[in-house]
Amino acid sequence: MFNLRMDEDDPVMGFAVEWVRALAARFERVTVVTMHRGRVTPIPDVRILSAGRELGLAEPLRVGRFYRTVLQVLREHPPDVAFSHMIPIFSALFAPLARHRGIPQLLWYAHGHVSWELRLAERLVDGCVTSMSHGFRLPSSKLQVLHQGIDADRFRPPVETREAYGRTVVMLGRISEVKRVVETVEVLAQARERGVPVRMEVFGGPSTREDERYEKLVHQRVEQLRLAEDVIFHGPVSHAAAPHAYQRGGLFMNLSRGSSLDKSTLEAMASGCIPIGTSGGFAAFARACGFERLAPPDDPASIRDALVELAGLEPAAAARLRQAVRQSVQRHHSLDALADSIVERLAALCIDAGGISGAAQGGPRTPTPTDPGLQPAARRPVPS
C-alpha cells in the first residue's frame, strides 16, 4: 500500500492509519510504503516503510529511497496487489516494476485538483476508485465510485453532555477562506439576535500564510460582533483527539461551497452532531437521506433560519435526529463497508491479471470466484 502520510497525530491524514488497520484485517500481510512516517501504534501483520520526508530528504533522495524500498519488498515478500491512497506519484514510479512483475495497481484519489501526477498515474494503473464522483474529476473508464470510510466505533456520540450541548456549534478543520469561517461567525451572530443563545467551538488552524491572514480576519470579525465569549478557538487537534472535539457540541457547520462531501461532516454526524452544510455533495447526500432541512439554500438568512430551528429543537426531537444522521453514515459510509469494497476491487484486478499468487509464488494461478482467498464480503484473508 502506498500512502502519503502514516501519522496518528496528523489532523488531516491521520485517518489513513485506520484504513490500514481495516485492510490488514482482510489480508495476510500489508506492507505500507509512505512518503512521511510519524507516530503509529504497531499494527499486527503490517510493516511500514518510509521514503524519508520526515527526515528532511530532498526529492531526488526520496525517489532513490523509494526504489530501494520497493525492490527490497519485492525480494522479501512479493505482493499480489498494490493499492495507492492519495499519492498517485508512487503509482507512477512503481508502474514499470508492477508491469514487469504482473502486479495490478489500484489508485484511490478523492480531491478536486487534477494534477499531472494524477493524469500520469491514471494511464498506468489498472483501476481507480474514489469516494464520490466529484472527487475524481479526470474522465476515466477505469473509475469506480465507492464511498467515504468513517469509523463509527471511534466517532460516536458522547455518553454525557453539558447543558449548552444542543446550542453549541462545532467547527473542525483548517481555518481558511474556502471554509467560510467569517460567514459562519456572522450567521451565529444573527441567530443570537433572534434570541437563540448559540455558541461555537472552533478546532483547527491555518496551514498557509494566506490562511494566517484569513485567521486574523476571523478574530477581528468575532471582536466586532462582540462574540469573544461565545466563540472559542482551540487551535489544531490531532486525528486521535478529533472524536472528543466533535463531542463538544450537538451542532456542526460546514459552509464550504463546491461539490464535495467533506469527511469532517460525516465524522461529525457519526459523533452525534446535527450538521448544517452548503456544499453540493452534502446537499445531495442530505436529500437522499431525507434531511433536506440540513442543507439550506446558500444565503445568510436561510442558513440562520436552519441554525435557529435546529438549536431550538426539543431534546427528544434532537435525539431522534442525531440518531438518524449517525445511522445514515453507518449505512452509507462505514469504514468496514469501504474496506470490503476495496478488497473486492483488488480481487477483481487480480483475476483480470491472471491469478492472485503469480507474483508471490513465481507461477500463475487461475483463481475462481469461489476461491476462499477471494471472499472479502465474509472477510476471509486474501494473500499479501
Side-chain angles (χ1 to χ4, degrees):
M1 180 173 173
F2 300 127
N3 196 27
L4 183 61
R5 296 179 73 91
M6 284 289 289
D7 186 353
E8 295 178 31
D9 295 326
D10 188 273
V12 178
M13 295 298 295
F15 70 89
V17 178
E18 297 168 19
W19 283 34
V20 172
R21 287 196 181 96
L23 290 172
R26 293 159 170 80
F27 284 84
E28 292 178 1
R29 180 186 298 111
V30 174
T31 301
V32 180
V33 180
T34 184
M35 180 74 81
H36 178 109
R37 176 171 182 167
R39 186 182 70 85
V40 180
T41 303
I43 307 170
D45 301 316
V46 172
R47 184 184 185 190
I48 303 173
L49 305 170
S50 174
R53 177 179 279 179
E54 74 277 7
L55 302 176
L57 297 183
E59 189 171 284
L61 294 177
R62 294 202 302 270
V63 172
R65 182 164 169 147
F66 169 85
Y67 276 116
R68 287 195 302 273
T69 298
V70 297
L71 287 171
Q72 176 186 350
V73 172
L74 291 174
R75 286 194 304 268
E76 297 176 354
H77 298 292
D80 293 294
V81 290
F83 175 52
S84 181
H85 176 250
M86 293 303 293
I87 187 161
I89 189 60
F90 276 8
S91 292
L93 292 173
F94 187 60
L97 294 171
R99 186 71 55 87
H100 177 68
R101 295 293 190 104
I103 302 171
Q105 288 205 85
L106 181 66
L107 169 66
W108 171 284
Y109 190 84
H111 195 280
H113 179 58
V114 178
S115 64
W116 68 266
E117 294 98 329
L118 177 63
R119 294 182 186 276
L120 177 61
E122 189 276 336
R123 291 176 175 270
L124 298 174
V125 300
D126 301 277
C128 302
V129 285
T130 188
S131 55
M132 301 188 77
S133 57
H134 53 260
F136 197 102
R137 299 186 182 182
L138 181 66
S140 175
S141 61
K142 303 175 182 179
L143 180 65
Q144 182 175 353
V145 178
L146 303 180
H147 40 260
Q148 297 275 21
I150 306 300
D151 187 349
D153 290 332
R154 289 190 69 245
F155 296 99
R156 54 190 312 111
V159 176
E160 297 181 355
T161 60
R162 299 171 301 160
E163 181 181 354
Y165 175 78
R167 293 180 279 102
T168 298
V169 176
V170 174
M171 287 192 71
L172 189 148
R174 183 165 62 101
I175 293 182
S176 66
E177 188 171 4
V178 70
K179 299 296 184 180
R180 299 174 68 195
V181 186
V182 169
E183 288 85 345
T184 305
V185 169
E186 291 172 345
V187 166
L188 192 81
Q190 294 174 23
R192 292 181 65 85
E193 291 175 356
R194 290 291 184 95
V196 180
V198 286
R199 55 189 301 276
M200 185 162 69
E201 299 198 21
V202 182
F203 298 86
S207 297
T208 66
R209 290 186 177 180
E210 184 176 341
D211 290 347
E212 290 173 357
R213 289 192 290 268
Y214 183 74
E215 184 183 36
K216 292 179 181 178
L217 292 177
V218 173
H219 284 279
Q220 289 173 1
R221 194 66 179 126
V222 168
E223 292 293 335
Q224 292 169 355
L225 294 170
R226 299 180 180 179
L227 293 175
E229 295 183 0
D230 302 299
V231 178
I232 310 302
F233 294 89
H234 294 277
V237 295
S238 68
H239 183 71
H244 301 290
Y246 289 121
Q247 292 177 352
R248 295 287 296 178
L251 300 167
F252 182 84
M253 291 186 69
N254 186 339
L255 302 189
S256 299
R257 291 187 171 125
S259 55
S260 65
L261 174 56
D262 285 355
K263 182 180 290 290
S264 62
T265 300
L266 295 173
E267 290 174 346
M269 293 169 69
S271 302
C273 296
I274 300 171
I276 298 173
T278 53
S279 72
F282 175 74
F285 179 59
R287 285 195 297 270
C289 296
F291 302 138
E292 292 86 352
R293 60 178 172 162
L294 307 184
D298 190 4
D299 63 79
S302 297
I303 299 170
R304 175 205 62 206
D305 291 345
L307 177 58
V308 168
E309 176 194 353
L310 296 172
L313 287 175
E314 293 294 327
R320 288 192 297 269
L321 183 53
R322 291 193 184 98
Q323 182 179 25
V325 298
R326 174 175 164 80
Q327 289 175 343
S328 70
V329 175
Q330 292 175 301
R331 185 164 53 249
H332 299 289
H333 290 283
S334 75
L335 179 58
D336 275 340
L338 177 62
D340 284 342
S341 297
I342 291 172
V343 174
E344 288 171 2
R345 186 67 181 126
L346 289 169
L349 292 179
C350 283
I351 293 175
D352 293 341
I356 274 198
S357 292
Q361 298 181 1
R365 176 166 72 96
T366 304
T368 65
T370 57
D371 188 321
L374 298 179
Q375 302 300 315
R379 299 186 195 165
R380 301 285 294 274
V382 301
S384 61

